[in-house]
Amino acid sequence: MPERGRPRTFDRTAALRQAMELFWAKGYEGTSMAELTAAMGISSPSLYAAFGSKEALFLEATDYYTRTEGTEIWTALDEAPTACQAIENFLRQTARAYSQNDRPQGCLIALGALHKDSSSGAICDDLRRRRAENHTLLLRRLERGVAEGELPPGFDSDAAATFYATVQHGMSIQARDGASCDALMATVAGAMAAWRGLAGTA
């Protein structure tokens, strides 16, 4: 028989994943502590003891999201032999990842918090930093295309990276609004048609 007063144990990673999916579906401000404790299967004192605060929990959940969700998007960007193929693969994997039916649609990093929040902006600042890091990954792949001679010396890698990051953010909103994978793939086709103009191959 367990000792009286011993703290109740729980699977911290499983609880974190439940919190992540709730934040992903409802955003930081839209998620209440009551919803978090119910989804995670723990009491409020246990949540605070394990994670510190709602803000700290969200930050840890977004870090967990970055490490476990949509990793194939960025792998596709790195592994493609050309910048053109890299961008197309990046967008196609985005369409697949954002439209899965067994988890919230869209992207937590894009949709988790867009306005200054009750954490005095810490949540928005963190998500803004993560979006900037994603932009940098696109930028580096495009700069590699220039360095390898695939893209012309005057190619504006920063503008192209911003364009394709913006397309991805728009796909996140489309997915959240219920767009199917096929609908998102149509967006990919349009974005890749724009590539010809950006790369001077029209």
Side-chain angles (χ1 to χ4, degrees):
M1 186 173 182
E3 293 179 22
R4 193 171 292 178
R6 176 178 292 177
R8 184 176 180 180
T9 60
F10 64 94
D11 184 330
R12 193 179 190 282
T13 300
L16 179 62
R17 180 165 192 88
Q18 291 300 315
M20 178 199 75
E21 293 197 357
L22 194 57
F23 283 132
W24 188 355
K26 305 190 71 171
Y28 178 75
E29 290 292 348
T31 302
S32 70
M33 288 298 294
E35 288 171 322
L36 284 168
T37 55
M40 298 166 76
I42 61 176
S43 66
S44 184
S46 293
L47 187 153
Y48 283 108
F51 298 99
S53 66
K54 179 185 175 184
E55 176 185 326
L57 174 59
F58 183 89
L59 294 174
E60 189 170 343
T62 54
D63 187 62
Y64 183 77
Y65 173 89
T66 300
R67 289 185 285 107
T68 62
E69 296 293 331
T71 55
E72 67 277 10
I73 294 171
W74 306 103
T75 300
L77 189 66
D78 286 337
E79 292 182 347
T82 67
C84 178
Q85 192 63 57
I87 294 298
E88 183 170 2
N89 292 353
F90 159 79
L91 292 175
R92 285 183 170 276
Q93 290 293 352
T94 292
R96 295 185 185 102
Y98 286 7
S99 60
Q100 294 181 85
N101 293 321
D102 61 344
R103 63 201 68 189
Q105 283 72 49
C107 173
L108 172 60
I109 306 304
L111 302 175
L114 295 175
H115 305 287
K116 188 172 180 179
D117 50 76
S118 58
S119 67
S120 301
I123 299 300
C124 283
D125 289 346
D126 181 73
L127 295 179
R128 190 177 299 114
R129 174 185 62 79
R130 293 177 187 277
R131 290 191 292 269
E133 289 173 352
N134 290 344
H135 176 276
T136 297
L137 292 174
L138 287 166
L139 175 61
R140 288 177 179 167
R141 184 62 187 87
L142 293 168
E143 289 176 337
R144 178 180 146 197
V146 174
E148 293 175 348
E150 177 196 351
L151 298 171
F155 182 78
D156 192 337
S157 296
D158 185 65
T162 298
F163 173 74
Y164 285 107
T166 302
V167 170
Q168 188 189 46
H169 296 160
M171 290 169 70
S172 181
I173 295 171
Q174 284 183 295
R176 180 56 55 90
D177 286 345
S180 66
C181 186
D182 286 346
L184 296 180
M185 287 297 184
T187 298
V188 173
M192 291 314 298
W195 173 268
R196 294 190 291 274
L198 291 169
T201 58

